[in-house]
Amino acid sequence: MMPDSDSKELIITREIHAQREIVFQAWSEAEHLKHWWGPKGIEISVKHLDFRAGGSFHYSMQAPDGSQMWGKFVYQEIKAPVKMIWNNCFSDEAGNIVRSPFSNLIPLEIRNEVTLSDNNGTTQLTLCSRAINATEEERSFFEGMFESMKQGFGGTFDQLEQYLLRMN
């Protein structure tokens, strides 16, 4: 599945204070992902991780109030330690794609591409995200969430940095 050609792309760039290989490892192993992926305050449980093109990452997110949601990545391309492309969606416990619990206007699938560039011992992480196979209304809603998504990913990437500092 290809991104919608007329869909705008969310682009976030972040300097991570760790070597590229270590940052890539944090994205590629369940033991690492469960410690930093997702919104702040959410506990991640990994049901399944098959980190390869065609594989998937299926996980649950438990909020402090006890509510639970499921998410899934379906990996499209992986080039260690440089790039990962995946389609992201909400899912049910069985891994089937479902609508977001927040809004029926959130596209069913979002294509994400993370590139990692070596920068003299630190890593420049660039995330590009866009709706795929979305209606005009879903695309518009998704693009309207960009500022909120920047804050959300900012918190997630803060957690990644804190986790990598603890790892060292």
Side-chain angles (χ1 to χ4, degrees):
M1 290 184 216
M2 292 306 297
D4 296 340
S5 59
D6 50 354
S7 179
K8 290 190 180 103
E9 196 166 48
L10 170 70
I11 300 173
I12 300 172
T13 301
R14 176 79 175 254
E15 194 71 21
I16 304 290
H17 297 278
Q19 293 182 334
R20 180 172 62 178
E21 289 72 15
I22 292 171
V23 176
F24 185 84
Q25 186 179 12
W27 283 88
S28 64
E29 296 177 14
E31 184 52 43
H32 298 306
L33 277 163
K34 72 180 184 182
H35 290 288
W36 67 269
W37 176 253
K40 283 187 174 177
I42 299 292
E43 184 181 330
I44 299 293
S45 297
V46 178
K47 182 166 184 179
H48 172 79
L49 176 64
D50 181 8
F51 188 73
R52 62 176 177 83
S56 64
F57 169 40
H58 187 210
Y59 57 97
S60 69
M61 300 171 276
Q62 178 128 1
D65 68 6
S67 63
Q68 185 179 48
M69 295 175 288
W70 289 86
K72 186 175 175 180
F73 295 5
V74 178
Y75 296 106
Q76 306 300 307
E77 181 183 340
I78 296 171
K79 184 179 175 192
V82 179
K83 177 168 65 170
M84 296 156 277
I85 300 173
W86 72 94
N87 294 344
N88 195 45
C89 60
F90 286 93
S91 73
D92 60 19
E93 190 172 355
N96 301 303
I97 295 174
V98 299
R99 284 272 169 208
S100 159
F102 313 114
S103 171
N104 283 338
L105 292 178
I106 294 176
L108 281 173
E109 292 183 279
I110 309 297
R111 179 183 172 91
N112 294 288
E113 179 174 337
V114 164
T115 53
L116 305 173
S117 304
D118 187 23
N119 193 9
N120 296 321
T122 65
T123 302
Q124 181 174 306
L125 182 153
T126 303
L127 168 75
C128 300
S129 188
R130 67 170 55 204
I132 56 173
N133 301 317
T135 66
E136 183 60 42
E137 193 176 24
E138 290 170 338
R139 257 195 318 276
S140 178
F141 186 84
F142 175 74
E143 291 164 8
M145 295 184 350
F146 281 7
E147 284 310 309
S148 165
M149 291 170 66
K150 285 178 184 175
Q151 289 179 3
F153 276 115
T156 297
F157 296 154
D158 286 347
Q159 292 176 155
L160 171 61
E161 273 224 83
Q162 291 160 7
Y163 176 69
L164 292 172
L165 283 171
R166 288 193 309 270
M167 269 179 62
N168 284 341

